[in-house]
Amino acid sequence: MASEDSRALKVALAGAAVASTGLALALASASVYASYFARDARGGSMKKKKLAHETWYAATDQDGRIASLAEVRKGALDGGIPHSLRAEVWPVLLGVRKCSNTSVEHEQGKRSRREQYGEFLRRCAELEGWLTKPVKGLANLPSDLASFTEASRIIAADAPRTTFTYGTFARDWESGILSGDDEDELKMEWRLAQRQRLTRILEAYAILDPVIGYTQGMNDLAAVFLRDISNESEAFWCFAKFMGGSYRCHFLINPHESAPSASKGQEGVSDRLRVLSEIIRIADPPLHKHLKFLNAQECMFAFRPVVVLMSRELADAEIGLLWDMLIAGGDHEPTSRANGTLAGGGARLFLHVVAAALVSMRSQVMACKKNDDLMQLVARKLPARKFTAHELVRKAMDLMKTTKGLGEAIEVASRASIALEGL
């Protein structure tokens, strides 16, 4: 992270204290992820039974500490996490909640995270207030006003267009109002509440990470966390941790031009698309040759699936399952290594998931005569294929054996991780 970026982040965090780095969590992820690959390599079948409540509660000791995550990760990788458990399990797997914390410390941590989130929202309100003030000179304007103004303008347009699916929050919302109310009215009310929560979360992230600010597609990611995490602050931190690590580069369109503080080694989404192209070249040379014929070897046709992490390409239930597996495998984290070899992390599994979807459609891709045909194929027929998360992950794992784990994202300091230190 460049020095200017670091200073901006420190100001935004208002003196957050330094604490643990979460190395143990990353190593645990590496171990389970590596064993998952080994089991699949031996030809073992992938279980489809979701993580059992008993398995989750058995991982917790009498003081509320998470004593062991191995079985929890295995269950999430095999079959996903039930809606009713995601609000508890996702914060742990994402490193928002520390495994070593007791129940009391966990509640204290939630309060600290809520207070920090509140600071971001207060800063949003301050900047919005500046928009109504008479301007007497550019020197008097806050340094983050321009970037926030641009972010909030796009958020205001995107939030109403975001699709919210029925989930835990909707259930919790409806349980707090009269059951005799009209069903359609209830749905309108929780959608409005979700839109307001989404707006606050996205604006807060623009304060947390001013280099990214807000980019279209982030609303789709945040909506998934808002679906199953009723606590708005916890939903924010889970969203920020998930997209702020190895996936953060998906939201940098021009990393060297988006901000003067952008690191020279920073990747952008175009870099990740080129890596996707290389995965396809190794996995399916004839298919890659056809992409070159179409002048599509840069894989810009896959821009949307990569940016929104397949959230517009899969059915609602499959999106949650895919993300359960990505989170449990630590794909959002920097690459970890086990016994000297690549294990989880680095956003490598996800890129192979996208490649698996494209390779599965190779006959349709090969039938495309021009680039526009390919763009329309991915935009319209990729979602219509009704892929399952298990199918894509299994095929992605097979591809990773061929590519030897190609596609490691450049490691960056997660703004959310820094913000959470000491909370």
Side-chain angles (χ1 to χ4, degrees), residues 97-167:
R97 175 185 176 182
K98 297 176 182 176
C99 293
S100 59
N101 282 358
T102 64
S103 297
V104 173
E105 291 170 332
H106 171 50
E107 290 304 318
Q108 292 172 341
K110 286 177 67 175
R111 183 168 62 250
S112 297
R113 291 191 291 273
R114 184 170 61 250
E115 291 171 354
Q116 181 64 75
Y117 177 57
E119 287 297 319
F120 294 142
L121 294 182
R122 278 188 282 277
R123 182 57 180 163
C124 291
E126 291 173 1
L127 293 174
E128 288 170 355
W130 273 92
L131 299 178
T132 62
K133 295 180 180 180
V135 178
K136 296 182 179 180
L138 295 178
N140 297 322
L141 296 177
S143 59
D144 52 350
L145 179 60
S147 61
F148 175 78
T149 301
E150 178 64 13
S152 61
R153 180 185 64 81
I154 306 174
I155 291 169
D158 281 359
R161 294 197 293 256
T162 304
T163 300
F164 297 107
T165 55
Y166 197 95

Side-chain angles (χ1 to χ4, degrees), residues 10 14 44 74 91 94 111 148 212 265 280 283 336 338 353 381 407:
K10 289 177 182 177
K74 177 178 178 297
L94 287 165
R111 183 168 62 250
F148 175 78
I212 295 290
I280 296 173
S336 52
V353 164
K381 294 188 178 180

Side-chain angles (χ1 to χ4, degrees), residues 216-218 220-221 250-251 253 269 273 276 299-314 323 350 354 375-384:
Q216 290 180 321
M218 289 169 61
D220 292 297
L221 272 64
H250 294 181
F251 300 93
I253 308 302
V269 64
L273 291 172
L276 174 63
C299 285
M300 286 304 297
F301 60 88
F303 179 89
R304 188 186 74 184
V306 169
V307 169
V308 301
L309 273 76
M310 299 287 283
S311 63
R312 296 186 191 177
E313 283 65 41
L314 299 178
W323 289 13
F350 174 70
V354 178
M375 296 288 284
Q376 292 182 24
L377 172 69
V378 173
R380 298 177 183 178
K381 294 188 178 180
L382 178 57

